[in-house]
Amino acid sequence: MTPLIKHFTLAPPGGGNLPAFSGGSHIIVVMRGAGRVHRNPYSLLSAPRELERYEIGVRRMEESRGGSHFMHDTVRVGTRLEIAHPVNLFGLDKIARKHVLIAGGIGITPCLAHLEDLHAGTVPYELHYSVRSPEHAAFLERLQRLAGDLLRLYYDSEGQALDAGTLLTTQPLGTHVYVCGPAGMIKHVIATAKSAGWPDSHIHWEQFSAPPAGDAFEAFLARSKLRVHVPPDRSLLESIEAAGVEVPYLCRGGVCGFCRTRVLELDGELIHNDHFLSDADKARGQSIMPCVSRARCTSLVLDL
Ligand code: FES
């Protein structure tokens, strides 16, 4: 689609329909590479009413731990992939009087599925899409077809920038805002909305963090009586799974809270990279989200 984004269509090998989903849903794609397994979340961008296939967009991450490179370099037409059932952590609010969608770069993917629903509905909406330059504007034709005049484009290369302050102070009561894109953009939109008096319930955002690399450390799983080594380039969750212990998850990106794990003992510090725990929870140090967070410690004992 662009120098950085590839578009994939996934269909069941035996034909038929895939499970139903709603706009804003993501799937986990399981990638079995040489020597390790990646499980990455990707938003579904196809129309929720068309279930013979799912579509995803994958951005090649420069700092990739392997997942996006696997999708870009190894996956070919006909490759078999395992995926998990769709989960929606970024759905449209059902009683909103208007929707304002703001996307940056690859953050446009969940908005595409939202647009399929909004296009057929009666609730007013507008879409603001910001990219580095015209060649990075993925899915532009589809966006123009679905949103028409309701699409506003911003090219960094031409000095165009979204004025979140004006946008968010001129919306009618009952409007909900949805933002997906780079961390800085999400932070700015949330802060602007809050300072303009928007209630938290009307501000929606999605940002799957890739687990950052860090120092190697050891964790002890108290109930399983297993010692787990966590190498620098593997997440705590991946290391626990590699040891044969299952941890529930939905997003693997620090958003959903499903992987929350109790910390029983710690000699050192937790490095929280999630967007789920409150600052107070993080300071207490009694829980960790192993999908994205790590520890710098000599001893970490988990309730697993
Ligand atoms: S799996 Fe969602 S926060 Fe860890």
Side-chain angles (χ1 to χ4, degrees), residues 233-253:
D233 63 342
R234 192 177 277 206
S235 71
L236 176 57
L237 178 59
E238 289 166 337
S239 306
I240 294 169
E241 288 171 337
V245 175
E246 286 197 10
V247 180
Y249 65 81
L250 287 182
C251 72
R252 301 182 77 91

Side-chain angles (χ1 to χ4, degrees), residues 82-145:
E82 287 166 53
I83 60 172
H85 202 285
V87 171
N88 199 343
L89 302 171
F90 193 51
L92 292 175
D93 187 274
K94 296 227 169 5
I95 55 168
R97 312 227 355 226
K98 180 179 174 186
H99 304 288
V100 173
L101 309 177
I102 301 175
I106 190 67
I108 194 64
T109 50
C111 299
L112 279 153
H114 283 320
L115 282 186
E116 296 281 355
D117 288 335
L118 292 169
H119 184 59
T122 54
V123 181
Y125 70 92
E126 53 192 82
L127 169 64
H128 299 261
Y129 181 25
S130 169
V131 289
R132 296 181 193 187
S133 63
E135 65 167 352
H136 287 279
F139 306 105
L140 196 51
E141 233 171 75
R142 192 186 293 205
L143 291 166
Q144 282 165 336
R145 174 173 54 78

Side-chain angles (χ1 to χ4, degrees), residues 208-281:
F208 295 133
S209 301
D215 296 340
F217 62 100
E218 306 276 323
F220 184 70
L221 313 186
R223 280 186 282 131
S224 315
K225 299 194 173 30
L226 279 175
R227 186 161 294 284
V228 171
H229 175 71
V230 186
D233 63 342
R234 192 177 277 206
S235 71
L236 176 57
L237 178 59
E238 289 166 337
S239 306
I240 294 169
E241 288 171 337
V245 175
E246 286 197 10
V247 180
Y249 65 81
L250 287 182
C251 72
R252 301 182 77 91
V255 178
C256 71
F258 263 66
C259 68
R260 183 174 186 158
T261 300
R262 222 149 55 91
V263 173
L264 300 177
E265 278 175 40
L266 171 70
D267 182 359
E269 58 168 337
L270 299 176
I271 302 165
H272 293 288
N273 297 311
D274 64 276
H275 311 290
F276 182 82
L277 293 174
S278 66
D279 289 345
D281 279 339

Side-chain angles (χ1 to χ4, degrees), residues 61-82:
M61 306 302 287
E62 291 84 3
E63 302 277 303
S64 171
R65 299 174 322 123
S68 73
H69 288 191
F70 182 93
M71 292 299 289
H72 273 250
D73 302 335
T74 308
V75 174
R76 298 273 174 269
V77 173
T79 299
R80 278 188 183 229
L81 292 167
E82 287 166 53

Side-chain angles (χ1 to χ4, degrees), residues 154-192:
Y154 305 85
Y155 295 127
D156 296 347
S157 59
E158 293 174 22
Q160 299 162 344
L162 168 72
D163 178 355
T166 305
L167 178 69
L168 296 174
T169 47
T170 51
Q171 297 300 328
L173 215 58
T175 302
H176 283 236
V177 64
Y178 308 79
V179 55
C180 188
M185 168 190 254
I186 294 179
K187 219 169 149 192
H188 176 62
V189 170
I190 293 174
T192 307

